[in-house]
């Protein structure tokens, strides 16, 4: 299992960013290997993020090459390159 954390800064007001995220929700739900995605708000104004839980590195890589992934900067009017972290899960506490 892989956790991907993306932090980004957007020029959009929170309400507009949420509206756009909701419009794209079905596209993310249909991604092969994406087990869960959390939409988060960071503590600085205009900063948001996504926490993705992937079933495998292959699923993450496939998403990274997709049109959906490449559309994120435009969709959310990103100001600068996002900060992306990839974490490999060693084990989970609960099933």
């Amino acid at each position: 299992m892989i956790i991907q954390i993306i932090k980004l800064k957007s020029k959009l007001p929170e309400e507009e960013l949420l509206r756009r995220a909701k419009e794209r929700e079905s596209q993310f739900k249909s991604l092969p290997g994406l087990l869960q995605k959390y939409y988060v708000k960071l503590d600085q104004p205009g900063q948001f993020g996504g926490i993705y839980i992937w079933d495998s590195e292959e699923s993450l890589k496939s998403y990274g090459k997709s049109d959906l992934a490449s559309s994120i900067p435009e969709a959310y009017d990103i100001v600068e390159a996002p900060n992306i972290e990839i974490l490999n899960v060693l084990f989970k506490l609960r099933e």
Side-chain angles (χ1 to χ4, degrees), residues 7-90:
K7 299 175 187 173
L8 58 88
K9 187 170 185 178
S10 173
K11 292 188 270 185
L12 298 174
E14 183 176 343
E15 299 77 24
E16 177 61 16
L17 186 128
L18 287 173
R19 185 188 70 73
R20 291 183 185 191
K22 282 290 195 181
E23 284 180 351
R24 298 161 58 85
E25 186 176 7
S26 65
Q27 295 173 359
F28 282 97
K29 283 182 176 178
S30 66
L31 281 173
L34 181 61
L35 303 175
Q36 184 59 273
K37 180 179 178 186
Y38 298 96
Y39 296 82
V40 298
K41 180 179 175 182
L42 304 174
D43 58 356
Q44 298 295 316
Q47 293 190 349
F48 302 92
I51 301 171
Y52 300 71
I53 312 297
W54 297 98
D55 66 352
S56 67
E57 187 174 347
E58 292 76 27
S59 295
L60 168 62
K61 285 181 179 179
S62 178
Y63 165 69
K65 297 174 187 173
S66 72
D67 290 340
L68 183 59
S70 63
S71 71
I72 286 179
E74 184 179 339
Y76 298 117
D77 205 1
I78 293 177
V79 176
E80 54 197 41
N83 179 322
I84 301 172
E85 296 178 60
I86 306 297
L87 307 158
N88 291 293
V89 175
L90 296 174

